Amino acid sequence: MGLGAAARNARLLRTSLSPSPSSQYRKQISVANLFQRYGFPSTQLHSFLSDNRFLLDSHLPDLQKSLDTLFSFRIPQKTLISLLRDCPGVLEHRFLHNWKSAFSELNSLVPNSSPLMLANLLQCCTRFQIDPVEFSHRVEVFKGLGFSDAAVARVLEGFPGVIVMSEREIVCVIEFLVDFGVTRDEVDRIVQLNPRVLGFGVEDRLKPLIEELRGLGFSRREVRKEIVREPRILGMETGEFSRCLKLLESLKCREAIREKILEEGMLRACFEVKLRVDCLCGHGLIRRDALKVLWKEPRLITYDLDDIVKKIEFLVHRMKYGVDCLPDVPEYLGVNFDKQIVPRYNVVEYLRAKGAIGFEVGLKDLIKPTRLRFYNLYVKPYPECEKIYGRFSRNLEVKSKHPAGLWKIFQPQKFPSTDEDVKNMKSFMDSMV
């Protein structure tokens, strides 16, 4: 056989062994349909399959069995989709088969197990290649440290990475807290409320944080009390407390607001500042701008985080503004959402749709005017807007601040003028001439 014939035969063999483009397309359609049947969003399927090409090479019946096994764990669909997106390797058939057979043992090992805990454990065990036997051994070691069943379940749900930690690392954290004055029962409570504290290094995280707090003037007793009350304090980075304390000491606000901020102590107030900075940063602000917003609008420190989040989401999704405008108009986060933000926005949107406004109304023009000024500018010229605005509507009954006739009580008492008073007045006037 010549060289040319051998080359042609090799090309024919490769062609017969490699799947054709049409068969690959059919396989992709079959896999996509399978994931859609199990609730995977169709809008995310293309990118999901493109990033995980091994799924197209999987045996379709095995892939379906893996999905059936995952759904048999009673994991909520939203959590399950998030698990598949973050850790597609969990679909490995043999791995899931082993976990399904060990599921009953897991329930007896961790009585308070939840679907979320199982999803987090599957993700962690997939990444570190931990089988159910090894997992059971590590959980037994962790339970042997004296934690309650509730604490064990909470840690495995909130911080499953604890199963890859050594026993010595966990013991060091416990000993550090006990040496600081925290009782063993309080350690159990701290771990339940903030499971990630077990992953903080003692030398590089916990000790520097305590030293920083003591250096800022907080007593050992005060720090211990706040740690037990709010264990998330242990999650603060070194230097965060100093920045928060500096901001609180430089606030320029009414005394009533300052008293409300500090009513539970300066240490607690620093932590509340940290929570609001994290909230603002989580929505796109840099840390410097977040601190600037809080300094300009101190009322935010006393507001619930849900209220702040609701205003930011309305600003971004409904009003179509960017969060970068908040450092310039921090008053937006300080005013009442239902009584001021929504009515003013509805009035301006109505006038804009009607074509009555020929200029752009910015966030500053919407928030900073007083109620009466905004009424005179945008509501009074258009009577139909009074019902939308509500505050100055003619249909609303204006309640008097004082009872009717109260003004008569404050009138000065009248005394009759005598002849002697008239004579004295004339004498006084003559002396002035």
Side-chain angles (χ1 to χ4, degrees):
M1 182 185 295
L3 292 177
R8 285 195 301 272
N9 289 338
R11 283 197 301 270
L12 289 173
L13 181 61
R14 285 197 301 268
T15 304
S16 62
L17 293 178
S18 61
S20 63
S22 60
S23 64
Q24 288 182 339
Y25 179 74
R26 286 194 299 270
K27 180 65 178 296
Q28 185 174 1
I29 293 297
S30 301
V31 173
N33 289 336
L34 177 63
F35 276 94
Q36 275 190 289
R37 288 202 306 271
Y38 284 88
F40 203 94
S42 57
T43 55
Q44 303 176 16
L45 268 176
H46 178 72
S47 59
F48 176 71
L49 295 178
S50 299
D51 295 337
N52 304 283
R53 303 293 299 180
F54 74 94
L55 294 174
L56 300 178
D57 299 329
S58 302
H59 194 44
L60 202 59
D62 288 344
L63 197 57
Q64 184 170 356
K65 289 179 182 179
S66 297
L67 289 171
D68 287 336
T69 303
L70 281 176
F71 273 86
S72 69
F73 294 152
R74 300 184 184 278
I75 301 175
Q77 188 177 47
K78 186 176 180 180
T79 304
L80 186 57
I81 291 172
S82 178
L83 171 64
L84 293 175
R85 188 168 51 243
D86 297 337
C87 187
V90 76
L91 289 170
E92 204 275 319
H93 180 62
R94 186 177 298 277
F95 171 81
L96 282 178
H97 178 74
N98 293 336
W99 271 94
K100 185 176 181 179
S101 60
F103 187 61
S104 58
E105 182 183 351
L106 177 63
N107 286 331
S108 61
L109 189 63
V110 188
N112 299 319
S113 59
S114 65
L116 179 60
M117 184 196 79
L118 184 58
N120 292 339
L121 285 177
L122 287 174
Q123 182 173 355
C124 182
C125 292
T126 301
R127 288 179 174 174
F128 293 99
Q129 294 299 305
I130 299 176
D131 58 37
V133 176
E134 184 180 0
F135 169 78
S136 300
H137 172 70
R138 297 192 180 201
V139 173
E140 289 289 359
V141 172
F142 181 65
K143 292 181 68 174
L145 298 176
F147 290 106
S148 63
D149 289 340
V152 172
R154 184 67 185 91
V155 170
L156 293 178
E157 178 181 313
F159 183 55
V162 72
I163 62 175
V164 298
M165 293 178 60
S166 67
E167 182 179 357
R168 183 57 193 163
E169 289 175 316
I170 302 174
V171 170
C172 285
V173 175
I174 298 174
E175 290 178 346
F176 173 80
L177 294 174
V178 172
D179 291 342
F180 191 68
V182 181
T183 66
R184 194 60 184 81
D185 291 338
E186 289 172 340
V187 171
D188 197 84
R189 179 180 181 275
I190 288 173
V191 169
Q192 288 189 53
L193 295 177
N194 185 15
R196 292 189 174 274
V197 70
L198 294 175
F200 297 152
V202 174
E203 297 296 333
D204 59 352
R205 184 72 175 269
L206 296 179
K207 278 187 178 179
L209 176 63
I210 299 300
E211 291 173 358
E212 179 187 2
L213 293 174
R214 296 301 307 279
L216 294 175
F218 297 111
S219 66
R220 182 186 180 95
R221 180 180 178 182
E222 185 180 5
V223 173
R224 191 202 72 82
K225 179 182 176 182
E226 286 300 324
I227 287 176
V228 174
R229 180 187 176 189
E230 181 49 81
R232 288 182 296 172
I233 287 176
L234 293 172
M236 294 185 69
E237 299 284 349
T238 305
E240 274 192 295
F241 260 112
S242 301
R243 289 192 294 269
C244 295
L245 181 62
K246 183 178 179 181
L247 180 135
L248 289 172
E249 291 176 342
S250 65
L251 287 180
K252 298 179 180 179
C253 58
R254 290 184 287 116
E255 191 61 28
I257 297 177
R258 183 182 298 275
E259 290 178 358
K260 191 171 183 180
I261 292 173
L262 301 177
E263 64 182 355
E264 297 187 47
M266 182 64 79
L267 183 57
R268 178 70 179 185
C270 289
F271 181 68
E272 294 295 337
V273 169
K274 177 254 193 316
L275 291 180
R276 280 140 189 83
V277 169
D278 289 347
C279 175
L280 294 173
C281 292
H283 285 85
L285 284 180
I286 61 175
R287 190 167 298 275
R288 181 185 60 190
D289 286 343
L291 291 169
K292 182 179 178 182
V293 169
L294 289 178
W295 187 83
K296 287 185 175 182
E297 190 54 69
R299 291 179 293 179
L300 289 182
I301 304 174
T302 65
Y303 291 173
D304 291 336
L305 289 174
D306 292 341
D307 182 65
I308 298 174
V309 171
K310 180 171 68 172
K311 291 176 181 177
I312 295 177
E313 290 179 348
F314 187 83
L315 176 75
V316 175
H317 301 299
R318 183 76 179 274
M319 301 176 70
K320 304 303 181 183
Y321 287 103
V323 292
D324 54 342
C325 65
L326 290 176
D328 297 324
V329 194
E331 296 86 353
Y332 170 82
L333 296 176
V335 299
N336 190 283
F337 179 75
D338 296 314
K339 295 181 179 180
Q340 190 160 343
I341 295 176
V342 175
R344 292 191 181 194
Y345 172 75
N346 290 339
V347 167
V348 171
E349 283 299 295
Y350 172 81
L351 295 178
R352 185 180 287 120
K354 187 180 178 181
I357 298 181
F359 54 91
E360 183 66 26
V361 179
L363 186 62
K364 185 180 296 186
D365 302 321
L366 196 67
I367 299 300
K368 288 200 172 184
T370 62
R371 290 181 175 181
L372 183 59
R373 178 171 175 76
F374 185 89
Y375 172 80
N376 290 333
L377 286 174
Y378 301 105
V379 181
K380 190 175 181 180
Y382 310 96
E384 67 271 21
C385 290
E386 291 195 0
K387 188 175 181 180
I388 301 175
Y389 191 50
R391 174 65 175 84
F392 292 95
S393 176
R394 294 189 182 95
N395 297 326
L396 296 178
E397 180 183 356
V398 179
K399 295 183 179 180
S400 176
K401 294 182 180 179
H402 306 291
L406 186 63
W407 61 274
K408 295 181 180 180
I409 300 177
F410 297 99
Q411 280 188 330
Q413 187 177 359
K414 293 183 178 181
F415 296 94
S417 299
T418 62
D419 294 339
E420 186 177 357
D421 292 333
V422 175
K423 183 178 179 180
N424 291 336
M425 184 61 68
K426 287 182 178 180
S427 302
F428 176 75
M429 295 301 296
D430 290 341
S431 65
M432 298 292 293
V433 178

